Amino acid sequence: MSPELTRLAAELTTVIDDVAAAFGAPAEETVDGELDCDPINPGNLLCWQYGVRLTDPPAPEDRLAALLPALHRDGWESHDRSTPREHITRFSRAGADFTIHVTRAGTAVSIIGSTRPLPA
């Protein structure tokens, strides 16, 4: 893995872990690895993908709302992608993105993101 992808992966992992910690429940890693990001020309672009899942976090929708100001101050733009089944907020900054999914029942939270793609 390139030094730049290593740096971007570390940044993304830190952000997602910090966001997960704000929900106040233990996080279980769901994905952590390099991903081929170019389906047309495999092997040309790589990114890092990282995700966690939290079960039964206390007041997840309130905690998500409380996170928004700090993430915006850190330069993350947010976009609401919610559905009737889950509250979904996507964050993006400098080509990286991550998404927080909160079930409407409030029983689970998943956070998954990826770095910007880099040449392989």
Side-chain angles (χ1 to χ4, degrees), residues 61 80-89 101-104:
E61 288 191 358
D80 185 3
R81 303 281 189 238
S82 297
T83 70
R85 293 184 62 194
E86 62 183 329
H87 184 94
I88 304 167
T89 305
H101 298 258
V102 177
T103 62
R104 293 284 183 191

Side-chain angles (χ1 to χ4, degrees), residues 36-104:
D36 189 338
C37 297
D38 188 350
I40 304 296
N41 298 304
N44 287 324
L45 290 175
L46 299 175
C47 65
W48 193 263
Q49 191 174 45
Y50 181 72
V52 297
R53 186 178 65 142
L54 300 91
T55 304
D56 294 322
E61 288 191 358
D62 294 339
R63 290 178 186 252
L64 175 58
L67 284 168
L68 290 174
L71 289 167
H72 290 156
R73 273 192 308 274
D74 289 343
W76 291 95
E77 294 180 20
S78 63
H79 307 279
D80 185 3
R81 303 281 189 238
S82 297
T83 70
R85 293 184 62 194
E86 62 183 329
H87 184 94
I88 304 167
T89 305
R90 181 176 180 185
F91 296 89
S92 57
R93 180 180 77 183
D97 64 74
F98 70 95
T99 306
I100 301 173
H101 298 258
V102 177
T103 62
R104 293 284 183 191

